[in-house]
Every structure is written in C-alpha cells, then in structure tokens.
Amino acid sequence: MRTADSILIPLVDAGCLNGLRASALGSRYRFWRDEDGMRHVFSVYGPENAPSYPDAIAVVARRTPAGSIAMWAGPTGPAAEQAARRLDGDEIHIHVLGEQAAPALRRLLARSTQAPRAAGTEPQRPARPEPKPVLEPVSTLHRRAA
C-alpha cells in the first residue's frame, strides 16, 4: 500500500519535520497534505492518550514502511479513540484548526460530523472555485500586436 492510498480520506502523508527528524521531537509531529495540496502540521499521539480539543481535527493513522496512512478523520476525543480501536490505528494525529483554518480541513471535519443520510441520497458537495486564467508574459503580448 502506498502512502497515497488513504481510502476515502483525502489526506496524504507529507512526512515529518525535517529539522527535527533525528531528535526526540521528530516523531511528535507529522505533515499531512489535504485535497487542495496544502500541507498541515499535526501533533502525533498514541491512541490511548490523545487530547480532546473543541476546534480540531483528528486523523487515525496506521504506520507502514512507506509512511502513515489516514484511516479515519473526524473530531478529537471519544470519537477518535473509538475509531482508533475499531480500525486498529497506531496513532492519532491532531491539528488545531484556529481562526484561519484551511477550507479542505473544515470540509473534512464537517463531513465526518454530519448526521447519517437516508439511503440513496447524495451529499451536497461544496462548490469548487473557478480556475484562474493563465496569463501570458508581457513580451508575448507585444509580439502578437506587431
């Protein structure tokens, strides 16, 4: 299994903090890349001692030789602990969202806390921003005008 194989969880293991790799703190932090390509630093805890925060996202992860694999994402606290036990997760990674939280992490947390849907109904997906137009260099524009 590759680190990009996180089933249904749009997070990819982006490694540890390079500056702390050799120190005791190196294993305490992990980067995850969200579906928008942004990297976020998470604190790493054992499944039995992860704290609970009101505005944070937890990721239950399993360690593999290729890196960590996200198996579940949702709120911190009892839900994360139950998911870690149920999925035999090795660690719980926690990211406190704060005031300027990344939209992809907010969406992921919102999906995990939604009430179950009736059978056959599709979830509402948030609208994706329109792609930005590609701008040509000024030198190209001058050549075309001539």
Side-chain angles (χ1 to χ4, degrees):
M1 195 176 245
R2 298 182 322 270
T3 57
D5 287 340
S6 296
I7 303 169
L8 304 177
I9 307 298
L11 293 172
V12 176
D13 181 14
C16 62
L17 295 169
N18 289 334
L20 300 175
R21 187 177 302 236
S23 74
L25 287 176
S27 62
R28 293 272 299 132
Y29 301 97
R30 195 98 192 144
F31 282 111
W32 287 95
R33 192 172 300 279
D34 67 25
E35 63 188 342
D36 293 336
M38 291 183 60
R39 281 185 354 153
H40 308 280
V41 68
F42 284 69
S43 299
V44 177
Y45 299 93
E48 65 284 340
N49 61 357
S52 179
Y53 296 114
D55 197 23
I57 186 168
V59 174
V60 172
R62 184 174 291 159
R63 289 279 186 166
T64 72
S68 295
I69 296 175
M71 302 170 60
W72 178 90
T76 62
E81 293 169 11
Q82 290 170 358
R85 280 193 301 275
R86 187 178 74 246
L87 299 169
D88 197 25
D90 298 320
E91 301 167 333
I92 296 176
H93 300 194
I94 296 177
H95 177 79
V96 177
L97 296 172
E99 293 176 13
Q100 299 287 325
L105 294 182
R106 286 265 184 222
R107 288 192 305 267
L108 185 56
L109 185 58
R111 276 185 281 201
S112 71
T113 57
Q114 287 177 347
R117 295 181 301 277
T121 61
E122 289 297 316
Q124 290 286 338
R125 293 193 174 233
R128 293 221 178 227
E130 290 296 319
K132 294 180 182 174
V134 177
L135 300 176
E136 293 186 42
V138 174
S139 60
T140 307
L141 294 174
H142 288 293
R143 274 186 260 149
R144 259 202 234 162

